[in-house]
Amino acid sequence: MTDIAELFAHNREWAALMEKERPGFFTNLKAQQKPKYMWIGCSDSRVPANQITGLEPGEVFVHRNVANVVVHSDLNALSTVQFAVEMLKVEHIMVVGHYGCSGVTAALNGVRVGLADNWLRHVQDVRDRHKGLLDQIAESQKPDALVELNVIEQVTNVCQSTVMIDAWHRGQKVTIHGWVYGLDDGLIKDLNMSANSLSALEKGYKNAIANVLKRAV
Ligand code: CO
């Protein structure tokens, strides 16, 4: 069997097993998706949103890109956030980085990787903004610290998007979280900067940045 044929075989087995164990699973999902969660994560194949969180099809709306970046002019990311908030009415959006992120490490060290250099420039902006903090950290700790700082800054970008400003202005209850996933133990760490308003963001941001330094030194 070819590699690709194997995928189809797995798919048929999975669909049959789901239908056997949970009759009507797919027909129920077909009617509507009602996820409570949106996940903004890295494209890295080792960080699959559903498996890590034990969520099933229909339970998490996902946007992934290299190094989990949210840029104010990225219509792709912003459109998914808008759809998630305004149409699906998600209650939580988590920005999830991961330790050992090669995109973040490339940005940290200024390694040229190709077209992605332009994308990773946004992570270099994070690095440069926190140069004073990173200078206090040992070389070996810097990649992990920048992974955390990048999550904190991308949470900030989500909170400051027009989508979230409008949602909170309407009184919609949505909380933005910053998490980091460990490739080596499979565990998610909460950076404890959950924000359900711009003022909560301000407080959470300062604490979260201070905690990055505490963890690293
Ligand atoms: Co990554």
Side-chain angles (χ1 to χ4, degrees):
M1 203 187 297
T2 65
D3 294 350
I4 294 296
E6 213 170 297
L7 300 188
F8 280 95
H10 287 161
N11 169 250
R12 284 189 297 268
E13 279 168 28
W14 172 76
L17 185 69
M18 289 295 280
E19 196 52 40
K20 188 179 162 211
E21 289 181 350
R22 320 252 296 270
F25 181 81
F26 295 109
T27 37
N28 289 340
L29 274 184
K30 191 182 166 216
Q32 202 180 0
Q33 59 165 337
K34 267 193 190 164
K36 269 168 66 177
Y37 310 101
M38 176 176 186
W39 173 285
I40 300 175
C42 183
S43 298
D44 194 303
S45 63
R46 297 165 293 182
V47 195
N50 287 73
Q51 273 164 290
I52 288 170
T53 51
L55 292 171
E56 297 194 326
E59 292 185 323
V60 58
F61 193 69
V62 175
H63 177 82
R64 289 167 70 179
N65 60 41
V66 173
N68 44 272
V69 172
V70 179
V71 188
H72 289 300
S73 56
D74 178 0
L75 294 181
N76 182 7
L78 293 180
S79 302
T80 55
V81 173
Q82 181 175 33
F83 188 80
V85 170
E86 295 182 11
M87 305 301 287
L88 301 175
K89 305 271 192 283
V90 297
E91 293 166 33
H92 302 274
I93 298 177
M94 37 288 265
V95 177
V96 190
H98 66 99
Y99 297 120
C101 182
S102 53
V104 170
T105 305
L108 175 68
N109 299 320
V111 174
R112 294 290 302 269
V113 291
L115 254 191
D117 299 342
N118 302 285
W119 180 249
L120 293 173
R121 182 61 238 178
H122 295 294
V123 182
Q124 293 188 313
D125 289 344
V126 175
R127 176 198 66 185
D128 296 346
R129 182 172 309 144
H130 297 285
K131 184 177 183 302
L133 186 153
L134 288 167
D135 282 348
Q136 300 172 58
I137 296 176
E139 231 27 68
S140 61
Q141 300 291 319
K142 282 182 186 175
D144 283 2
L146 186 55
V147 163
E148 294 179 1
L149 292 170
N150 183 48
V151 167
I152 294 165
E153 292 297 340
Q154 305 314 328
V155 166
T156 304
N157 287 348
V158 174
C159 292
Q160 291 176 340
S161 67
T162 52
V163 177
M164 284 317 305
I165 289 172
D166 291 350
W168 284 332
H169 187 72
R170 287 194 302 273
Q172 194 174 335
K173 288 189 169 40
V174 188
T175 306
I176 320 297
H177 309 265
W179 293 354
V180 181
Y181 175 75
L183 294 178
D184 55 351
D185 60 8
L187 295 175
I188 295 168
K189 180 189 289 177
D190 189 349
L191 297 181
N192 291 317
M193 65 168 308
S194 302
N196 56 8
S197 66
L198 279 177
S199 53
L201 168 71
E202 207 176 316
K203 188 163 167 274
Y205 178 90
K206 282 185 199 145
N207 288 339
I209 296 285
N211 286 334
V212 173
L213 187 60
K214 266 189 225 159
R215 269 193 295 274
V217 294

